Amino acid sequence: MPDSQQHELKLIATAAAGTESIVKRELASLGYEARVTTPGRLLFEAPASAIARANLWLRSGERVLIEMGRFAATDFGVLFDATASLPWERWLTRDAAFPVSGRSHHSQLSSVPACQKIVKRAIVERLRKSHKVQLLPETGPLYAVEVSLRDDLATLTLDTTGVGLHKRGYRRLVGEAQLRETLAAVLVQLSYWRPGRVLVDPFCGTGTVPIEAALLGRNIAPGLNRSFVAEAWPTLPAPLWREAREEARDRMLPPLAERLIGYDIDPEALSLARFHAEQAGVANDIHWQQRPFTELRAKAEFGCLITNPPYGERLNTDSEVEELYRSFPLVLRRLPTWSHYILSSRHDLETLVGQPANRRRKLYNGALECTYYQFHGPRPSPASALPPKEGQGGHFAESHVLCGAGQGESSREPLFPTTATEEGQGEGTNVLPLPTTSTASAKASPQQPVLGPAFGGLQSSAARQAEEFANRLKNRARHLRRWPTKRGIRCYRLYDRDVPDVPLIVDCYEDALHIAEFARPHDRTPAQHADWLDAMVRTAAKVLEIPRDRVFVKHRDRQRGTDQYERIDDRAARFVVHEGGLKFVVNLSDYIDTGLFLDHRITREMVRQAAKGTRMLNLFAYTGAFSVYAAAGGAVSTTSVDKSATYTAWARENLELNGFSGPAHRIVQSDLREFMARLSPGEVWDLAVVDPPTFSNTKGYEDDWDIQRDHGELLRQLAKHLSPNAVVFFSTNSRRFHLNEAALGDYVVRNITRQTIPEDFRNERIHQCWKLIRMDSSRSEREMKG
């Protein structure tokens, strides 16, 4: 064996920025003590066998280099002489191919091509003298040389790896936006995962994270199924590589007791993932399934979610990725005892999920700067912690040494470098204050604070709020218990933000509940708020003895444009309910509103009382409830106008449900302005209902509908098509609305708001309502002269 194989060598393991401490621990597990000399480079001294072992075992490192020399170099002469003095012949054969690459940072020798030429010439001169030849054909094994200058310090190295260590050999097919294998290994090692605990990647793509975790969990050397450039070097004997590979095979552990899980919505990506897992030898250790993130669930009490979700580069629009990230807390709260690890290039991820990470770490996915956000769940109790199986450690095992002192003696401890511990003493991370909640069940020692769920959990005030909410519901239910039998009112408001800390509205639709939440400032995270809302919904269902599947929850913000018409769900929870001896279809799940405005119960009855013998017009008809009441009251005809195809169809269904159909009950799908413009002078009505939205968008019109701006002109146009003494019921739920009576000279105006608010509505500003009577022309002229 050449002298170079009998001495301690100076070796360098290269690492991506931010992963140096991980690689250092991996080297320590091999028995090699390393130190970081410059960013991304770790120097360690070891025998030649370390070249093979480091190449085979490093999961997070990028390359293994031999340091040929290190010296100060401020001019080309020094660079040439120092390079020529190094023992290149110990490694490079006379036919060696030795291309030279270079880099320079903050150094006087800033021309990298010039430095490469100088180094090449110096090595050529040295080899000619040492091998006593003039011709160096460079047709033999490859010895890639690099000259690296940093702060005028030159380091000359030989690359023993060849293709980077991230090339494990199992990923032979290329998928879209694949995560680098070395980075995936870093993500796993920075987590609390260990064999025996569930690991899920809900955006697994072609499977890199689960595969790397499986290799780690089974103690499979990541480089076992590939070759390295130094294997072809005559100066590095083949037995070193053979012994290193035999050692790696001996140290492999049996299949994992708990299979890892990879989800993705892309079947092609999952097909690649299965193929890669087979190539890596871990096909039986991972369960792959096509499943969207929104359906993420797991039965295991404790586990780790590690994922590299789309950043925006893989989605069509920035709004799509923002919507995805905002869904994270609502989905991940289903796993309250898990820890969650998310790699993303989004610097606003914490803002989008509504809470800070417990830790964050800067990493690079190729050239893309990313942050590894870590959201820690509660620590498992000793009773629930799963011990490793016999002979199968974890990265929490007490011993992490593969071979003692790097001397090659056999040992059965697996290679699981510890970069984070269950107590949260991870290295090189940005530690944040840990949030606590009152929901943690375990007792904490002063040194080990108890963590609540990573996402979600209830604050201590939730119990009090639920109790106050329950008491108010009981009182209201007792007060209104006779309405269905004595008054025939089966749909009514039960609760309207009565408890300030519980800003909900609860409406009864016979044997179902419709709960609307109105936005109000609070100190809960989105996930905590979702848990709080669930607790309030459970409280309402229990107190009122309503099955949970008959309780429907909506979140209401201020409506804009077409919000009222937009579908928000597709469960189609459609029921027939009764009011005033009539039937109406309501949909409690799919739209912001249900199809029957309960606050207009009295107004609808007024319309019925005024409808006998009239021709009735219903503008902004919605689901046609006013038209049904008018028909039931004896109207000779009804005309219902709305621009929504959904609601005009719904209005027709309500009319037919009550036995009203045919030409006498006309349904018109049209924008109001278009409808009014098409009317002929002979089209006249005796009764009208105008209940417009506050705002509405209409295609083809430069100006959107604005009730404050446009109501006067609409009512003036309507007056041209009303018979003398015709009645118009005009209403709005806009609190800022002011009726422009000066523009309504054709009408006698009466504010009937107070008479139209049902007693079950505590909010007396739920709507405003006016009764307008169309004056005949002779009366108008007399009043104008008077």
PDB file of all heavy atoms in Angstrom, residues 554-568:
ATOM      1  N   LYS A 554     -71.342  28.612   8.961  1.00  0.00           N
ATOM      2  CA  LYS A 554     -70.839  29.527   7.932  1.00  0.00           C
ATOM      3  C   LYS A 554     -70.017  30.624   8.594  1.00  0.00           C
ATOM      4  O   LYS A 554     -70.292  31.015   9.740  1.00  0.00           O
ATOM      5  CB  LYS A 554     -71.994  30.184   7.172  1.00  0.00           C
ATOM      6  CG  LYS A 554     -73.060  29.249   6.644  1.00  0.00           C
ATOM      7  CD  LYS A 554     -72.700  28.691   5.301  1.00  0.00           C
ATOM      8  CE  LYS A 554     -73.797  27.768   4.788  1.00  0.00           C
ATOM      9  NZ  LYS A 554     -75.073  28.455   4.582  1.00  0.00           N
ATOM     10  N   HIS A 555     -69.062  31.135   7.858  1.00  0.00           N
ATOM     11  CA  HIS A 555     -68.312  32.313   8.307  1.00  0.00           C
ATOM     12  C   HIS A 555     -68.720  33.477   7.428  1.00  0.00           C
ATOM     13  O   HIS A 555     -68.668  33.399   6.205  1.00  0.00           O
ATOM     14  CB  HIS A 555     -66.808  32.091   8.198  1.00  0.00           C
ATOM     15  CG  HIS A 555     -65.999  33.286   8.600  1.00  0.00           C
ATOM     16  ND1 HIS A 555     -65.714  33.562   9.915  1.00  0.00           N
ATOM     17  CD2 HIS A 555     -65.458  34.286   7.875  1.00  0.00           C
ATOM     18  CE1 HIS A 555     -65.006  34.688   9.977  1.00  0.00           C
ATOM     19  NE2 HIS A 555     -64.853  35.138   8.755  1.00  0.00           N
ATOM     20  N   ARG A 556     -69.146  34.561   8.060  1.00  0.00           N
ATOM     21  CA  ARG A 556     -69.647  35.701   7.304  1.00  0.00           C
ATOM     22  C   ARG A 556     -68.732  36.897   7.497  1.00  0.00           C
ATOM     23  O   ARG A 556     -68.476  37.328   8.615  1.00  0.00           O
ATOM     24  CB  ARG A 556     -71.059  36.091   7.747  1.00  0.00           C
ATOM     25  CG  ARG A 556     -72.108  35.044   7.490  1.00  0.00           C
ATOM     26  CD  ARG A 556     -73.477  35.604   7.778  1.00  0.00           C
ATOM     27  NE  ARG A 556     -73.857  36.571   6.763  1.00  0.00           N
ATOM     28  CZ  ARG A 556     -74.851  36.388   5.900  1.00  0.00           C
ATOM     29  NH1 ARG A 556     -75.548  35.269   5.928  1.00  0.00           N
ATOM     30  NH2 ARG A 556     -75.155  37.304   5.024  1.00  0.00           N
ATOM     31  N   ASP A 557     -68.237  37.421   6.385  1.00  0.00           N
ATOM     32  CA  ASP A 557     -67.599  38.725   6.352  1.00  0.00           C
ATOM     33  C   ASP A 557     -68.570  39.678   5.674  1.00  0.00           C
ATOM     34  O   ASP A 557     -69.647  39.279   5.219  1.00  0.00           O
ATOM     35  CB  ASP A 557     -66.276  38.667   5.577  1.00  0.00           C
ATOM     36  CG  ASP A 557     -65.226  37.890   6.338  1.00  0.00           C
ATOM     37  OD1 ASP A 557     -65.028  38.188   7.527  1.00  0.00           O
ATOM     38  OD2 ASP A 557     -64.624  36.977   5.743  1.00  0.00           O
ATOM     39  N   ARG A 558     -68.173  40.930   5.569  1.00  0.00           N
ATOM     40  CA  ARG A 558     -69.006  41.875   4.843  1.00  0.00           C
ATOM     41  C   ARG A 558     -69.056  41.465   3.383  1.00  0.00           C
ATOM     42  O   ARG A 558     -68.027  41.229   2.742  1.00  0.00           O
ATOM     43  CB  ARG A 558     -68.449  43.300   4.968  1.00  0.00           C
ATOM     44  CG  ARG A 558     -68.517  43.858   6.378  1.00  0.00           C
ATOM     45  CD  ARG A 558     -68.097  45.314   6.394  1.00  0.00           C
ATOM     46  NE  ARG A 558     -68.992  46.124   5.579  1.00  0.00           N
ATOM     47  CZ  ARG A 558     -68.771  47.421   5.331  1.00  0.00           C
ATOM     48  NH1 ARG A 558     -67.703  48.021   5.809  1.00  0.00           N
ATOM     49  NH2 ARG A 558     -69.624  48.102   4.598  1.00  0.00           N
ATOM     50  N   GLN A 559     -70.272  41.368   2.837  1.00  0.00           N
ATOM     51  CA  GLN A 559     -70.419  40.906   1.465  1.00  0.00           C
ATOM     52  C   GLN A 559     -70.024  41.985   0.482  1.00  0.00           C
ATOM     53  O   GLN A 559     -70.224  43.163   0.707  1.00  0.00           O
ATOM     54  CB  GLN A 559     -71.866  40.484   1.210  1.00  0.00           C
ATOM     55  CG  GLN A 559     -72.246  39.217   1.964  1.00  0.00           C
ATOM     56  CD  GLN A 559     -73.632  38.748   1.613  1.00  0.00           C
ATOM     57  OE1 GLN A 559     -74.261  39.267   0.709  1.00  0.00           O
ATOM     58  NE2 GLN A 559     -74.106  37.752   2.332  1.00  0.00           N
ATOM     59  N   ARG A 560     -69.400  41.521  -0.588  1.00  0.00           N
ATOM     60  CA  ARG A 560     -69.010  42.419  -1.670  1.00  0.00           C
ATOM     61  C   ARG A 560     -69.430  41.798  -2.994  1.00  0.00           C
ATOM     62  O   ARG A 560     -69.259  40.597  -3.212  1.00  0.00           O
ATOM     63  CB  ARG A 560     -67.491  42.636  -1.688  1.00  0.00           C
ATOM     64  CG  ARG A 560     -66.996  43.539  -0.556  1.00  0.00           C
ATOM     65  CD  ARG A 560     -67.417  44.979  -0.812  1.00  0.00           C
ATOM     66  NE  ARG A 560     -66.874  45.877   0.192  1.00  0.00           N
ATOM     67  CZ  ARG A 560     -67.504  46.218   1.311  1.00  0.00           C
ATOM     68  NH1 ARG A 560     -68.688  45.698   1.566  1.00  0.00           N
ATOM     69  NH2 ARG A 560     -66.954  47.061   2.149  1.00  0.00           N
ATOM     70  N   GLY A 561     -69.962  42.607  -3.872  1.00  0.00           N
ATOM     71  CA  GLY A 561     -70.246  42.137  -5.227  1.00  0.00           C
ATOM     72  C   GLY A 561     -71.197  40.971  -5.241  1.00  0.00           C
ATOM     73  O   GLY A 561     -72.312  41.045  -4.754  1.00  0.00           O
ATOM     74  N   THR A 562     -70.714  39.846  -5.782  1.00  0.00           N
ATOM     75  CA  THR A 562     -71.567  38.669  -5.979  1.00  0.00           C
ATOM     76  C   THR A 562     -71.401  37.636  -4.878  1.00  0.00           C
ATOM     77  O   THR A 562     -71.770  36.474  -5.058  1.00  0.00           O
ATOM     78  CB  THR A 562     -71.242  38.017  -7.339  1.00  0.00           C
ATOM     79  OG1 THR A 562     -69.868  37.637  -7.334  1.00  0.00           O
ATOM     80  CG2 THR A 562     -71.501  38.967  -8.479  1.00  0.00           C
ATOM     81  N   ASP A 563     -70.861  38.029  -3.706  1.00  0.00           N
ATOM     82  CA  ASP A 563     -70.616  37.058  -2.642  1.00  0.00           C
ATOM     83  C   ASP A 563     -71.863  36.249  -2.308  1.00  0.00           C
ATOM     84  O   ASP A 563     -71.799  35.056  -2.036  1.00  0.00           O
ATOM     85  CB  ASP A 563     -70.120  37.772  -1.380  1.00  0.00           C
ATOM     86  CG  ASP A 563     -68.694  38.255  -1.533  1.00  0.00           C
ATOM     87  OD1 ASP A 563     -68.090  37.952  -2.573  1.00  0.00           O
ATOM     88  OD2 ASP A 563     -68.197  38.938  -0.624  1.00  0.00           O
ATOM     89  N   GLN A 564     -73.026  36.922  -2.286  1.00  0.00           N
ATOM     90  CA  GLN A 564     -74.251  36.245  -1.896  1.00  0.00           C
ATOM     91  C   GLN A 564     -74.564  35.079  -2.825  1.00  0.00           C
ATOM     92  O   GLN A 564     -75.166  34.096  -2.426  1.00  0.00           O
ATOM     93  CB  GLN A 564     -75.397  37.251  -1.895  1.00  0.00           C
ATOM     94  CG  GLN A 564     -76.776  36.643  -1.652  1.00  0.00           C
ATOM     95  CD  GLN A 564     -77.861  37.684  -1.728  1.00  0.00           C
ATOM     96  OE1 GLN A 564     -77.636  38.850  -1.445  1.00  0.00           O
ATOM     97  NE2 GLN A 564     -79.054  37.267  -2.126  1.00  0.00           N
ATOM     98  N   TYR A 565     -74.156  35.190  -4.090  1.00  0.00           N
ATOM     99  CA  TYR A 565     -74.512  34.185  -5.081  1.00  0.00           C
ATOM    100  C   TYR A 565     -73.470  33.086  -5.224  1.00  0.00           C
ATOM    101  O   TYR A 565     -73.717  32.092  -5.891  1.00  0.00           O
ATOM    102  CB  TYR A 565     -74.713  34.858  -6.452  1.00  0.00           C
ATOM    103  CG  TYR A 565     -75.841  35.861  -6.466  1.00  0.00           C
ATOM    104  CD1 TYR A 565     -75.584  37.221  -6.424  1.00  0.00           C
ATOM    105  CD2 TYR A 565     -77.161  35.433  -6.519  1.00  0.00           C
ATOM    106  CE1 TYR A 565     -76.629  38.139  -6.436  1.00  0.00           C
ATOM    107  CE2 TYR A 565     -78.204  36.348  -6.531  1.00  0.00           C
ATOM    108  CZ  TYR A 565     -77.934  37.701  -6.488  1.00  0.00           C
ATOM    109  OH  TYR A 565     -78.954  38.600  -6.502  1.00  0.00           O
ATOM    110  N   GLU A 566     -72.293  33.250  -4.628  1.00  0.00           N
ATOM    111  CA  GLU A 566     -71.217  32.309  -4.863  1.00  0.00           C
ATOM    112  C   GLU A 566     -71.369  31.060  -4.010  1.00  0.00           C
ATOM    113  O   GLU A 566     -71.708  31.122  -2.832  1.00  0.00           O
ATOM    114  CB  GLU A 566     -69.863  32.969  -4.592  1.00  0.00           C
ATOM    115  CG  GLU A 566     -69.526  34.060  -5.611  1.00  0.00           C
ATOM    116  CD  GLU A 566     -68.196  34.714  -5.322  1.00  0.00           C
ATOM    117  OE1 GLU A 566     -67.592  34.384  -4.283  1.00  0.00           O
ATOM    118  OE2 GLU A 566     -67.766  35.554  -6.123  1.00  0.00           O
ATOM    119  N   ARG A 567     -71.088  29.921  -4.611  1.00  0.00           N
ATOM    120  CA  ARG A 567     -71.154  28.645  -3.903  1.00  0.00           C
ATOM    121  C   ARG A 567     -69.924  28.498  -3.017  1.00  0.00           C
ATOM    122  O   ARG A 567     -68.803  28.757  -3.432  1.00  0.00           O
ATOM    123  CB  ARG A 567     -71.215  27.492  -4.907  1.00  0.00           C
ATOM    124  CG  ARG A 567     -71.354  26.114  -4.273  1.00  0.00           C
ATOM    125  CD  ARG A 567     -71.358  25.040  -5.337  1.00  0.00           C
ATOM    126  NE  ARG A 567     -72.569  25.072  -6.125  1.00  0.00           N
ATOM    127  CZ  ARG A 567     -73.678  24.389  -5.834  1.00  0.00           C
ATOM    128  NH1 ARG A 567     -73.714  23.642  -4.743  1.00  0.00           N
ATOM    129  NH2 ARG A 567     -74.729  24.448  -6.611  1.00  0.00           N
ATOM    130  N   ILE A 568     -70.120  28.092  -1.772  1.00  0.00           N
ATOM    131  CA  ILE A 568     -69.010  27.913  -0.849  1.00  0.00           C
ATOM    132  C   ILE A 568     -68.834  26.453  -0.440  1.00  0.00           C
ATOM    133  O   ILE A 568     -67.873  26.109   0.240  1.00  0.00           O
ATOM    134  CB  ILE A 568     -69.184  28.788   0.416  1.00  0.00           C
ATOM    135  CG1 ILE A 568     -70.479  28.405   1.151  1.00  0.00           C
ATOM    136  CG2 ILE A 568     -69.156  30.267   0.055  1.00  0.00           C
ATOM    137  CD1 ILE A 568     -70.648  29.081   2.490  1.00  0.00           C
TER     138      ILE A 568
END
